[in-house]
Amino acid sequence: MPAVKPLNPRSPVLKRLLVVALMLAWAVTAQAATEDCKAIPWGAPISAVESITYSHSVAGVKYYTVTKTEPCGVFKIQGANVTYGFLDGKLYTVLVEIAKAQDVKQVVATLMDSYGLPDHKKSDGWDEYRWETDELKIKLKSQFATDRIKIGMYYKPLIPKE
């Protein structure tokens, strides 16, 4: 029987296999977390949300922090700052900012699990990933130099017509 060579820990093939394995493990964990998710439904009236604190307004959208909702999916990441935006009193957007993300790939994998493969481009030092479904537009921006991630999710039925 021939001798088996140990795997080189610097091997690009091994690194790719580890990334794929981690992404799959994260996706399975994320799927289980979203099944029990009690997030605020898109389009829900602001009156249906408990423990809400006004933050600011931009272009007719009123932004709030909500302290009594159970975070799930990408919102559950430690250090995530979540802001909810209401347009005409209905949930229109959710903005998530992560100051020091441990792994951008995990966040992207979580979104891919729910929304499929994104469009990707680089712009001004940021990687941009975009998804679109019948109901949502999602944009994730990550900056490698600072480990920052910004995610914007927008409910398409409430997007103002131009």
Side-chain angles (χ1 to χ4, degrees):
M1 208 181 222
V4 176
K5 286 183 176 180
L7 287 173
N8 179 352
R10 296 177 193 238
S11 163
V13 172
L14 181 59
K15 286 181 182 178
R16 282 189 208 120
L17 286 173
L18 286 172
V19 167
V20 169
L22 286 171
M23 288 174 73
L24 286 172
W26 179 260
V28 168
T29 303
Q31 181 62 33
T34 56
E35 288 173 4
D36 296 331
C37 183
K38 294 178 181 79
I40 302 166
W42 291 107
I46 195 167
S47 60
V49 183
E50 295 180 45
S51 302
I52 192 164
T53 305
Y54 176 77
S55 174
H56 63 284
S57 293
V58 176
V61 179
K62 293 182 180 179
Y63 292 93
Y64 297 83
T65 55
V66 178
T67 56
K68 197 170 179 175
T69 189
E70 187 175 319
C72 49
V74 293
F75 310 121
K76 202 171 193 172
I77 295 170
Q78 187 173 8
N81 181 21
V82 182
T83 305
Y84 297 87
F86 291 81
L87 183 63
D88 297 327
K90 297 177 183 171
L91 182 60
Y92 160 66
T93 184
V94 176
L95 305 176
V96 180
E97 186 159 354
I98 305 166
K100 289 289 182 187
Q102 295 299 313
D103 193 345
V104 172
K105 290 176 187 158
Q106 287 181 343
V107 177
V108 171
T110 299
L111 289 168
M112 283 174 53
D113 186 50
S114 296
Y115 306 108
L117 292 174
D119 291 327
H120 176 256
K121 70 177 185 176
K122 292 187 180 271
S123 176
D124 298 325
W126 291 83
D127 277 302
E128 290 186 18
Y129 300 86
R130 293 176 184 257
W131 292 264
E132 190 163 342
T133 69
D134 291 341
E135 290 193 332
L136 296 176
K137 281 189 175 187
I138 302 159
K139 180 167 83 172
L140 179 148
K141 292 173 69 174
S142 68
Q143 191 176 49
F144 180 75
T146 62
D147 294 329
R148 288 178 63 204
I149 295 177
K150 296 179 181 183
I151 303 168
M153 303 177 87
Y154 304 89
Y155 186 52
K156 286 171 61 175
L158 295 180
I159 291 177
K161 307 293 184 236
E162 293 180 18

